[in-house]
Amino acid sequence: MAKETKDYSKYFDFSDAKVLSEDEFGKKIRIKGREIHIISEPNHRQSKKRRKEDVQVLYENAVPEELQGIGAGKHYIVYTFGCQMNEHDSETIKGMLEMMGYTATEDRKEADIILLNTCAIRENAEDKVFGELGHLKHLKTEKPDMLLGVCGCMSQEEGVVNRIMQKHGFVDMIFGTHNIHRLPMLIKEALFSKEMVVEVWSKEGDIIENLPKKREGLRAWVNIMYGCDKFCTYCIVPFTRGKERSRRPEDVIAEVRDLARQGFKEVTLLGQNVNAYGKDFDDIRYTFADLMDDIRKIDIPRVRFTTSHPRDFDDHLVEVLGKGGNLVEHIHLPVQSGNNEILKIMGRKYTREIYLELVRKLKETVPGLVLTTDIIVGFPGETEEQFEDTLSLVREVGFDSAYTFIYSPREGTPAAVMEDNVSMEVKSERLQRLNRTIEEYSRKSHENLRGQIVEVLVEGESKNNASILAGRTRTSKLVHFEGSKELIGSFVNVKITDAMTWYIKGEVVDVPQAEAAITQ
């Protein structure tokens, strides 16, 4: 049975709200006894617009000196939902909190500030956040001085913000994706006013450089651009993240060089659509391929990127990736569907044939290439024959793995008003068949590695067994093997002995780097 559609209209009923004051700094209202300072709130119509305003690049001090000790002796927790972009935003949030004097904790009862950095891509991500708020309500009752905030993509949605104001009055702060750098000021406001503070910008957003980041581990995320202009009919991201805007090449390159100096072993370049990088520059001609070619010369062992759109994957980028070196042999290339009619309704603006031709070029140019993808099943109107086209494309490409999803409508997207006429039973059955096909090719790919020696970056102990180490190959395959904890953080050669569906097993071999037949 199809899931009942949520009625968002009830969250727009503010007949019980009393306006206390209104000026150039926003308005103050009272709902159910809770005073709320709305500095700015999300506006769906505004976020749809792609204005010609210049994007400003600001190099500013994110934490004013007078706020740098405000968190001394206090603790924070940041919970992150969603994609790598959210993970990276959380690094920035943690960096600012630590600059304010806060210290990380994992104990909720010790926390003086808890932030939920949210995702709006799927309905179940939204459900998780509201479920989490339900749990935190009890903690907030016990510890009323604790600050509780909701930020990220969900905060950019009108329905979500209104729902929090109406039903979750114990939340202290709501801010969006465009104004993360305003966090110190919002904390100050929430602490001293005791009001709920809402500041969500629907303007396109500027690029704020020099924000502190708290990075952990061996791998670093580097944002190279923000926003998306593709407007796929199922996707909320162009509304929550704004228009495409690229960081200046010199700022990206300086950050990657600095990470190399700090000893990071791997960098992942991030963007909602990384290969649209540079298309918004009007003073220079500099594309994602140019950026990759320049970063290739920096002394950092591995460079990845995510996520790319097939429509913007040009021949110059294919050629640069073929140069290898620190540019790894793994590309995440979302296809979403293998049927042209569904691709058209999705607004993907490429065909099955164009996608397969790109795959052919990439496999021809990048030896040992591993491809992964995203696929949606049960899109409105998808027939059995159209789904079979997706299965046949999966077989033709031979993806090593995929993020697979059942279609769920997102309020405000064009697809949300289409008739969702594929039953949940059919969607679930198709997802199972798709996953079985992906598993088959994943296993086959792993079997092909049996007996080969691969380069592994050792990341830590296996989650399930402290005596086993875990790491990843250049193609992002998870490898388990026995070894000393001293190996964590280094590269080792591992001979593959066994193939599982989602990971491979091996044993460390002492092969001189120059002689090693390093494959994936």
Side-chain angles (χ1 to χ4, degrees), residues 472-488:
R472 288 195 181 267
T473 66
R474 284 174 61 92
T475 54
S476 203
K477 290 184 180 296
L478 181 62
V479 185
H480 285 180
F481 54 94
E482 287 184 10
S484 160
K485 290 180 180 51
E486 290 167 11
L487 294 175
I488 294 171

Side-chain angles (χ1 to χ4, degrees), residues 85 139 156 190 230 367 383 491 497:
M85 191 71 81
L139 184 62
Q156 295 288 150
K230 287 296 176 279
T383 65
F491 289 98
T497 57

Side-chain angles (χ1 to χ4, degrees), residues 313-354:
F313 218 113
D314 58 33
D315 288 348
H316 185 201
L317 179 55
V318 174
E319 178 199 333
V320 169
L321 294 176
K323 294 179 181 180
N326 60 359
L327 308 184
V328 300
E329 302 77 27
H330 169 231
I331 297 170
H332 189 70
L333 192 64
V335 67
Q336 307 301 359
S337 172
N339 176 267
N340 285 342
E341 202 175 325
I342 295 292
L343 286 170
K344 188 175 181 182
I345 301 168
M346 285 178 165
R348 294 292 286 173
K349 296 187 171 64
Y350 57 80
T351 62
R352 173 193 180 97
E353 291 73 27
I354 288 170

Side-chain angles (χ1 to χ4, degrees), residues 342-404:
I342 295 292
L343 286 170
K344 188 175 181 182
I345 301 168
M346 285 178 165
R348 294 292 286 173
K349 296 187 171 64
Y350 57 80
T351 62
R352 173 193 180 97
E353 291 73 27
I354 288 170
Y355 186 92
L356 289 172
E357 174 59 15
L358 173 58
V359 167
R360 185 195 64 76
K361 283 181 192 171
L362 284 165
K363 286 186 172 181
E364 208 172 73
T365 311
V366 183
L369 177 68
V370 160
L371 286 167
T372 55
T373 196
D374 296 341
I375 297 171
I376 296 170
V377 302
F379 194 74
E382 183 187 67
T383 65
E384 178 59 27
E385 291 72 25
Q386 289 169 332
F387 172 68
E388 285 289 346
D389 283 346
T390 296
L391 284 184
S392 71
L393 182 132
V394 166
R395 293 187 186 104
E396 198 166 333
V397 175
F399 294 111
D400 275 51
S401 69
Y403 293 107
T404 57

Side-chain angles (χ1 to χ4, degrees), residues 34-88:
R34 174 66 154 151
E35 291 191 9
I36 302 173
H37 183 190
I38 302 174
I39 302 170
S40 56
E41 57 192 320
N43 182 311
H44 189 70
R45 278 189 295 277
Q46 285 285 96
S47 60
K48 261 185 176 175
K49 292 176 183 173
R50 288 292 183 266
R51 296 175 291 281
K52 295 296 179 189
E53 294 169 13
D54 288 340
V55 171
Q56 287 186 295
V57 182
L58 306 173
Y59 300 85
E60 59 179 49
N61 180 7
V63 183
E65 208 170 313
E66 68 271 17
L67 297 182
Q68 287 184 14
I70 207 169
K74 296 179 180 177
H75 297 85
Y76 75 85
I77 298 177
V78 178
Y79 292 116
T80 310
F81 304 80
C83 68
Q84 291 96 335
M85 191 71 81
N86 289 47
E87 295 280 358
H88 184 58

Side-chain angles (χ1 to χ4, degrees), residues 215-235:
R215 290 182 165 113
E216 294 168 298
L218 318 163
R219 301 182 292 175
W221 312 109
V222 175
N223 250 114
I224 64 167
M225 66 179 301
Y226 304 89
C228 182
D229 289 344
K230 287 296 176 279
F231 288 99
C232 300
T233 57
Y234 53 82
C235 187

